[in-house]
Amino acid sequence: MGAKLLETLNLPNPLDRYDTLTNGLRSSPPAPMNIRIGNGYDVHRLVAGRPLILGGIPIEHHLGLDGHSDADVLTHAIMDALLGALSLGDIGHYFPPTDPKWKGADSIELLKQVYGLVQERGWRIGNLDSVIVAERPKLKPHIATMSQRLADVLNLDLDQVGIKATTNEQLDAMGEQKGICVHAVALLIKD
Ligand code: MG
């Protein structure tokens, strides 16, 4: 319907409203976003002669995760999710695997440092969620312990720390027990 006809019929032109709305948004600065989401992913190889540590918890298994630090793949993915939410880079930037300082490092201690960066900037964690992809060992019996450990370190309630475990249905490297990978997301809030 043409503008002229709308005017003749004494009807509001929807484009006028659109312009008003657009100008209104342009004239006031956008409110700063007070929530942020971050995504993290990590994978480590399963090898003989290494401990298996997930979420700071040692887990009985004949294979462990290989890496420069303790190779706690769950904690690493969560750290990357936290850093990602604030565009602070990734854990390789803060704890490079080429630096002997981090050899055998307890990833929970690294997580505390990353959490410190989040807090320094005035953010708190709304919630975390993660999926561990591991064919073996069965992780269900350990999930509550891992959640509690991470909740303690990050001052969170248990219902703010989501940890899920799935197999890869024997497909690809995870399914062939060559490694364990983790996908994680973190929601940050600024009050
Ligand atoms: Mg890693």
Side-chain angles (χ1 to χ4, degrees), residues 42-44 71-73 76 91:
D42 197 21
V43 59
H44 282 261
D72 181 343
V73 67
H76 291 184
I91 55 172

Side-chain angles (χ1 to χ4, degrees), residues 7-189:
E7 207 180 305
T8 313
L9 295 172
N10 201 23
L11 290 172
N13 186 340
L15 289 177
D16 290 343
R17 285 180 57 218
Y18 176 76
D19 285 343
T20 307
L21 181 63
T22 310
N23 289 335
L25 284 174
R26 275 204 202 108
S27 62
S28 55
M33 245 192 355
N34 61 356
I35 57 168
R36 295 285 185 86
I37 191 164
N39 169 47
Y41 171 81
D42 197 21
V43 59
H44 282 261
R45 287 174 189 274
L46 275 169
V47 294
R50 288 271 302 182
L52 175 59
I53 298 170
L54 293 171
I57 303 298
I59 292 171
E60 196 68 42
H61 193 47
H62 69 287
L63 302 173
L65 292 172
D66 197 17
H68 187 65
S69 66
D70 65 2
D72 181 343
V73 67
L74 171 60
T75 303
H76 291 184
I78 289 172
M79 283 194 276
D80 265 355
L82 293 171
L83 291 169
L86 298 180
S87 293
L88 290 173
D90 58 39
I91 55 172
H93 171 74
Y94 297 91
F95 316 110
T98 46
D99 189 339
K101 189 175 166 186
W102 308 118
K103 187 161 172 58
D106 175 353
S107 296
I108 290 290
E109 292 306 314
L110 309 185
L111 175 63
K112 287 177 185 171
Q113 291 187 44
V114 166
Y115 184 43
L117 295 175
V118 170
Q119 289 179 304
E120 272 170 24
R121 285 161 177 78
W123 294 84
R124 65 182 174 88
I125 298 172
N127 74 303
L128 305 171
D129 192 22
S130 58
V131 185
I132 307 170
V133 184
E135 206 66 28
R136 290 283 184 280
K138 289 288 174 199
L139 294 174
K140 198 176 171 189
H142 307 285
I143 283 181
T145 324
M146 289 188 262
S147 301
Q148 188 65 63
R149 177 80 174 115
L150 293 171
D152 289 346
V153 170
L154 300 169
N155 302 313
L156 298 173
D157 290 331
L158 265 183
D159 70 358
Q160 291 172 289
V161 183
I163 301 177
K164 307 185 295 298
T166 184
T167 71
N168 218 30
E169 293 289 339
Q170 299 173 32
L171 294 166
D172 300 330
M174 305 312 140
E176 290 166 11
Q177 300 181 51
K178 291 179 179 167
I180 292 178
C181 77
V182 176
H183 303 263
V185 287
L187 187 78
L188 301 186
I189 299 171

